[in-house]
Structures are given as structure tokens and as C-alpha cells.
């Protein structure tokens, strides 16, 4: 089972490498340089009660001169009731920022939320038409 997962991971990494190099990313270290930028860890407060959830937003921003090519977010539960901590939204916000929003229905324990952005300096973009 582990060997199969490793094979799929290597295939996915190779495919990603082909995709990156065909788009024309460039950086100080040469072609195909990308940065993963982690935003600050934000506290996801406990539910204040009354049917309301605690809520928090987080973001990660690309360095100057780079554009957003993707991103994501991670919510960490404050206790064993992981189903009470939910990532409600994770999306790009403009060309440089990844934004995330989460809720916490646990009345006693806070959690955390962290967004990350995948950024690159783009030298050119090839437009490909599919049949």
C-alpha cells in the first residue's frame, strides 16, 4: 500500500514539474521556481453559544513580483471533536492572496486556521486550446 502511494506521489510530482516548466516560471534560482508562502496561524475561537459558531479568517500573500498560482488552508482542532472545526471557504483573493474562512462549533476549545499561497514569477504564459 505504501509503495503504491509513493509511486502515485512521484507520478503526480513529475506531472506537476512538466506543467510548471511548460508555463514558463522563472526565478533567481533558474526556471521552474515556485514559492509556498504560509500565512500566520490564526486562532479559531470557541463557539460563543446561542447557536453561533466561533469564526476566523486567514490569508497568505505572495511576495512582490510573484503571482498566485494556487493555495489552500488547514484547520486544526483544539480537541478530539474534530467534526466541530470546519474549513468553510478557501479561495484566491485577487492575483496575489489566498484567503480562508473557518468555523468552530465547540463551546470550550479554540482551534487554529492557516492559509498558504503557491506563488511564482511568471515570464510567459502559453494559452492552449483543447479540442
Amino acid at each position: 500500500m505504501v509503495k503504491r502511494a509513493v509511486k502515485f506521489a512521484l507520478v503526480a510530482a513529475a506531472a506537476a514539474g512538466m506543467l510548471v516548466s511548460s508555463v514558463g516560471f522563472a526565478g533567481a534560482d533558474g526556471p521552474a521556481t515556485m514559492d509556498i508562502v504560509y500565512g500566520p496561524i490564526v486562532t479559531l475561537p470557541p463557539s460563543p453559544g446561542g447557536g453561533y459558531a466561533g469564526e476566523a479568517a486567514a490569508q497568505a500573500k505572495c511576495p512582490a513580483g510573484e503571482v498566485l498560482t494556487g493555495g489552500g488552508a488547514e484547520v486544526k482542532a483544539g480537541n478530539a471533536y474534530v467534526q466541530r472545526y470546519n474549513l468553510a471557504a478557501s479561495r484566491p483573493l485577487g492575483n496575489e492572496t489566498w484567503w480562508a474562512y473557518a468555523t468552530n462549533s465547540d463551546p470550550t476549545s479554540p482551534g487554529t486556521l492557516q492559509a498558504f499561497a503557491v506563488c511564482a514569477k511568471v515570464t510567459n504564459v502559453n494559452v492552449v486550446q483543447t479540442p
Side-chain angles (χ1 to χ4, degrees):
M1 196 70 147
V2 172
K3 289 180 184 177
R4 180 177 288 171
V6 170
K7 284 182 186 177
F8 288 129
L10 292 175
V11 169
M18 289 186 293
L19 178 64
V20 168
S21 62
S22 69
V23 174
F25 295 112
D29 298 329
T33 299
M34 298 177 75
D35 293 315
I36 299 176
V37 179
Y38 289 90
I41 296 173
V42 176
T43 298
L44 181 54
S47 168
Y52 296 99
E55 53 190 5
Q59 62 182 16
K61 186 172 181 170
C62 292
E66 294 189 20
V67 295
L68 183 68
T69 61
E74 179 181 36
V75 173
K76 289 187 180 175
N79 59 31
Y81 298 107
V82 74
Q83 71 277 11
R84 296 180 180 177
Y85 303 80
N86 297 298
L87 180 61
S90 177
R91 65 180 207 85
L93 187 63
N95 294 329
E96 299 173 347
T97 304
W98 195 268
W99 179 83
Y101 172 79
T103 61
N104 177 8
S105 63
D106 190 288
T108 59
S109 298
T112 61
L113 170 64
Q114 185 175 30
F116 65 91
V118 179
C119 310
K121 183 174 275 192
V122 178
T123 58
N124 65 338
V125 175
N126 298 323
V127 178
V128 178
Q129 300 282 335
T130 58

